[in-house]
Amino acid sequence: MIDTLYKTVMPDAVKKWELAGLVTDFPEDGGECFRFGELQIAVFNFTSRGEWYACQNVCPHKLQAALSRGMIGSAGEEPKVACPFHKKTFSLKTGQNLNGDEKPIAVYPVKVEEGKVYVGLPS
């Protein structure tokens, strides 16, 4: 079910921008989880890079909804998040697993306007 529920959204495929919260709702260099319908999406305020990212909150390894509480960092130039339970690491740009052969996670575009954080969705 997780494979059909979560699909990566490319910026040119966004049909609507869903409000995730105010910039001040997100910790610096950390994430928060928001629910959009059936989706749980982790949104990260990557303060040290001056960037924002969003991905599915469910780690494909053990299907635990906890990526928003994972550690974020960089692998070279690649921004990444590590699942807090088993340290499976995923690119926040592509969703690819960086330290194993787990399925990729879905990633979503993020924009910030007038102090509000939006996640791009396909419908």
Side-chain angles (χ1 to χ4, degrees):
M1 177 173 158
I2 190 170
D3 294 337
T4 58
L5 187 60
Y6 292 100
K7 302 278 187 193
T8 289
V9 177
M10 302 305 292
D12 60 352
V14 171
K15 298 291 186 210
K16 70 175 182 178
W17 291 95
E18 192 70 39
L19 178 64
L22 301 175
V23 168
T24 54
D25 293 336
F26 297 86
E28 291 188 6
D29 287 319
E32 289 287 337
C33 177
F34 292 91
R35 183 176 278 271
F36 299 113
E38 295 181 73
L39 303 175
Q40 285 189 39
I41 297 178
V43 179
F44 297 98
N45 177 8
F46 211 142
T47 313
S48 60
R49 292 175 62 116
E51 300 169 345
W52 289 81
Y53 295 96
C55 66
Q56 69 185 53
N57 194 41
V58 178
C59 178
H61 178 232
K62 295 286 186 183
L63 302 180
Q64 293 171 303
L67 288 178
S68 63
R69 295 187 292 160
M71 290 185 64
I72 58 174
S74 300
E77 295 297 314
E78 196 73 25
K80 65 179 183 175
V81 60
C83 177
F85 291 105
H86 301 99
K87 308 302 181 223
K88 297 294 182 182
T89 305
F90 301 90
S91 166
L92 288 170
K93 284 186 175 178
T94 67
Q96 294 299 310
N97 181 213
L98 300 174
N99 64 348
D101 57 0
E102 295 296 328
K103 293 179 180 178
I105 59 173
V107 294
Y108 305 89
V110 177
K111 71 176 181 180
V112 177
E113 291 181 348
E114 299 178 0
K116 297 176 182 172
V117 181
Y118 298 88
V119 175
L121 298 173
S123 60

